[in-house]
Amino acid sequence: MMMCAVLATLGVAVAYLGVVDWRHRRIPNTVVLPSILSAVVAACVWQPSALVGGAVWWLLFSFFHQRSVKNRHEGSGAPGQYFGGGDAKFAAVCGILAAWHGLGWVLLAIGTSGVLTTGGIMIQDRARKAPPHRAVAMGPAMVLGTLLAFAVSL
């Protein structure tokens, strides 16, 4: 029973982080770090293998964040606008929740969020002629991917 309450709370936290990213196009550390700590503690107590899902998604986003920063420093414009450090931290929480019932489910969550984010980028770029001046909110797509993987795995 306690595990269900914790998972419901983490689900609400993930949804909240998605809304924060949608509205502000960034996820501040003061909001995401408590969620990471809560997700890690919950996984350690009830589902230690889910930590691997969090690590996988975090490493994937950290790699792309590092690449986007490198591209920005080398003078390339748009790629550096799509990945932020808050997205990488948020990916750890989403990865833990998506992998709660098995590590394979995190792949569904990552794939779903990637497709949704790419669609958002394409729609945003098509709607304007100038290069993007505002970051794309990846949080909502990550939330939908995570919730889909969690719901399907039940």
Side-chain angles (χ1 to χ4, degrees):
M1 189 63 156
M2 177 70 159
M3 181 180 71
C4 291
V6 170
L7 287 175
T9 303
L10 285 174
V12 169
V14 164
Y16 173 72
L17 290 171
V19 170
V20 167
D21 192 29
W22 177 263
R23 294 183 79 201
H24 303 287
R25 301 299 196 258
R26 62 183 313 271
I27 306 172
N29 285 338
T30 56
V31 177
V32 76
L33 293 179
S35 297
I36 293 172
L37 179 62
S38 300
V40 167
V41 168
C44 286
V45 171
W46 287 291
Q47 196 65 280
S49 64
L51 292 170
V52 176
V56 165
W57 207 345
W58 175 77
L59 286 170
L60 180 70
F61 264 80
S62 294
F63 170 77
F64 283 111
H65 173 66
Q66 183 270 338
R67 295 293 303 163
S68 69
V69 169
K70 182 180 176 192
N71 286 342
R72 206 174 324 161
H73 288 282
E74 292 175 356
S76 176
Q81 303 228 351
Y82 296 133
F83 294 95
D87 293 320
K89 292 176 212 152
F90 186 39
V93 178
C94 291
I96 289 171
L97 282 176
W100 197 266
H101 293 115
L103 295 176
W105 295 109
V106 77
L107 299 176
L108 174 64
I110 290 170
T112 302
S113 69
V115 167
L116 292 172
T117 301
T118 302
I121 290 169
M122 291 172 66
I123 290 169
Q124 181 183 12
D125 287 350
R126 193 179 251 284
R128 67 174 84 113
K129 304 270 188 242
H133 294 289
R134 192 165 185 210
V136 173
M138 299 178 80
M142 293 167 67
V143 169
L144 291 174
T146 300
L147 294 179
L148 174 69
F150 194 83
V152 168
S153 69
L154 289 178

